[in-house]
Amino acid sequence: MTTKTEKYIESAGLVETRDPEIGNPIYRRPSFDGPPELGEMDNQIGEALRTARERRGLTRPELAPLLGLTTQVYGRYERGESKMHVTRLVHLSELLDFSPFDLLFAAAPHLWGESKEEAELRHRLMKHIEELPLDKAKLLLGVVEAFLSNQRS
């Protein structure tokens, strides 16, 4: 007999994997090259943070006080040594003016599509939508909702 959890694992397309950071088996959605290790995802987030900080022309010692952190503590985020809470991600996106989706995409592009090409296309589309003025965003939402309702019919 299949349990509810087993049915969920199968329907969600999850695969059992191991990660050096976690002793027990975990289930993940596969990426394009297999499930990325959690530590590798932290490294990708750190690299994206560094890029966002440098794009704003700030050094670590200049940014850290704006977060209420020491330079050493902030540096751990960029090096992928410390786990970041969502609230810290929001704060950083406010300070450095980037979309939190950018960091998530850097760590897990497979969440946006079945292939790298599809994921990149969807990410580009989201970036364009984020930049639309309100009146254009309302128009686009109407078009998309009409398209989806026709597709469902």
Side-chain angles (χ1 to χ4, degrees):
M1 177 148 165
T2 305
T3 67
K4 183 177 178 182
T5 301
E6 290 168 333
K7 287 178 183 176
Y8 179 77
I9 290 167
E10 184 179 339
S11 69
L14 303 176
V15 294
E16 182 178 332
T17 186
R18 292 211 174 261
D19 195 282
E21 294 185 22
I22 300 172
N24 296 325
I26 60 174
Y27 290 83
R28 301 279 312 277
R29 201 168 138 200
S31 181
F32 310 123
D33 303 317
E37 290 185 356
L38 301 179
E40 180 55 31
M41 293 170 69
D42 291 328
N43 290 337
Q44 295 298 326
I45 289 170
E47 180 64 26
L49 269 180
R50 183 188 61 75
T51 300
R53 174 183 55 77
E54 289 176 347
R55 194 175 305 128
R56 290 288 172 219
L58 295 171
T59 64
R60 286 181 185 172
E62 292 167 334
L63 177 61
L66 302 177
L67 294 159
L69 301 175
T70 66
T71 303
Q72 294 78 13
V73 171
Y74 172 74
R76 291 183 198 137
Y77 289 126
E78 284 193 11
R79 291 188 302 274
E81 296 170 359
S82 289
K83 305 286 183 206
M84 187 181 316
H85 294 282
V86 172
T87 51
R88 178 75 67 202
L89 170 62
V90 170
H91 191 187
L92 279 160
S93 69
E94 291 170 350
L95 293 174
L96 298 175
D97 193 31
F98 65 82
S99 170
F101 285 123
D102 292 339
L103 261 63
L104 298 174
F105 183 80
H110 62 282
L111 297 177
W112 276 264
E114 298 293 320
S115 68
K116 288 180 183 180
E117 180 182 311
E118 181 183 357
E120 288 170 8
L121 182 139
R122 290 178 187 276
H123 184 249
R124 281 183 41 222
L125 180 60
M126 288 172 37
K127 295 300 295 172
H128 290 306
I129 291 170
E130 289 175 335
E131 294 170 5
L132 287 175
L134 179 60
D135 61 327
K136 302 278 194 260
K138 287 179 179 179
L139 287 172
L140 180 59
L141 179 60
V143 169
V144 170
E145 287 176 340
F147 176 77
L148 290 174
S149 69
N150 284 342
Q151 190 176 15
R152 290 182 191 124
S153 300

